[in-house]
Amino acid sequence: MVAVALVSAAFIIRSQSTTTATALGPVGATETVPCPSSVTDGAALKAAGDEVEGKTFSCGVVVSPENHDKPDGRTIELFYLRLNAKTSPAAAVPLVYLAGGPGSSGSYELSANPLLKQNLDRVRETRDVIAYDQRGTGYSQYLLCAPFEATLGIL
């Protein structure tokens, strides 16, 4: 939880919740970032033994509109874990994994659950697998509601 709070705080300090696309970069811009230790130390990645950050997997953020009906409005950063395909070049279309429960993190589920990773490794024979932390979960930028924004002095 502390790691999640620190990374989330870093995203907020970097981008604030009122940032526009021009401050973060264009919508759809991605940036590779170091994977948090909770991802690299996850049971599924450790159990595999052959997973190497920067070679077989990486982490990053993508800039997304907060509201897709207002593409020039506020943006947020969404965190992802990318497991590279075992063949090169990979198929053009990756498989995107989204966590199923409220408040669940795709990157955590994929890095911590050996059975899930084992099943998705079959897909990795030909294509990348990308696990997103949906907004407000895991390491993605959370959205503050008005009472909390006022408390933090953002409004």
Side-chain angles (χ1 to χ4, degrees), residues 15-27 63 71-76:
S15 58
Q16 293 298 311
S17 65
T18 57
T19 304
T20 60
T22 57
L24 290 175
V27 168
V63 177
D72 294 328
R74 296 191 311 182
T75 59
I76 58 173

Side-chain angles (χ1 to χ4, degrees), residues 100-144:
S104 194
S105 159
S107 67
Y108 173 78
E109 287 184 7
L110 193 53
S111 66
N113 185 331
L115 184 57
L116 174 62
K117 184 185 172 300
Q118 180 181 359
N119 286 329
L120 290 176
D121 275 349
R122 294 179 190 150
V123 174
R124 289 179 69 196
E125 292 299 323
T126 57
R127 61 184 70 239
D128 293 348
V129 173
I130 302 171
Y132 271 98
D133 290 355
Q134 299 172 64
R135 68 183 192 174
T137 67
Y139 293 103
S140 287
Q141 183 177 358
Y142 60 89
L143 300 175
L144 297 174

Side-chain angles (χ1 to χ4, degrees), residues 7-131:
V7 171
S8 296
F11 285 139
I12 293 222
I13 290 168
R14 179 172 158 207
S15 58
Q16 293 298 311
S17 65
T18 57
T19 304
T20 60
T22 57
L24 290 175
V27 168
T30 61
E31 178 182 345
T32 301
V33 299
C35 291
S37 62
S38 66
V39 171
T40 58
D41 293 342
L45 292 181
K46 281 199 166 220
D50 60 349
E51 297 290 356
V52 178
E53 184 174 358
K55 184 176 179 183
T56 63
F57 73 94
S58 60
C59 294
V61 293
V62 62
V63 177
S64 174
E66 179 183 74
N67 180 344
H68 285 273
D69 290 335
K70 298 178 183 177
D72 294 328
R74 296 191 311 182
T75 59
I76 58 173
E77 291 178 335
L78 300 176
F79 179 83
Y80 64 87
L81 165 63
R82 176 184 215 110
L83 300 176
N84 299 335
K86 297 180 188 261
T87 59
S88 184
V93 179
L95 180 133
V96 176
Y97 176 80
L98 299 174
S104 194
S105 159
S107 67
Y108 173 78
E109 287 184 7
L110 193 53
S111 66
N113 185 331
L115 184 57
L116 174 62
K117 184 185 172 300
Q118 180 181 359
N119 286 329
L120 290 176
D121 275 349
R122 294 179 190 150
V123 174
R124 289 179 69 196
E125 292 299 323
T126 57
R127 61 184 70 239
D128 293 348
V129 173
I130 302 171

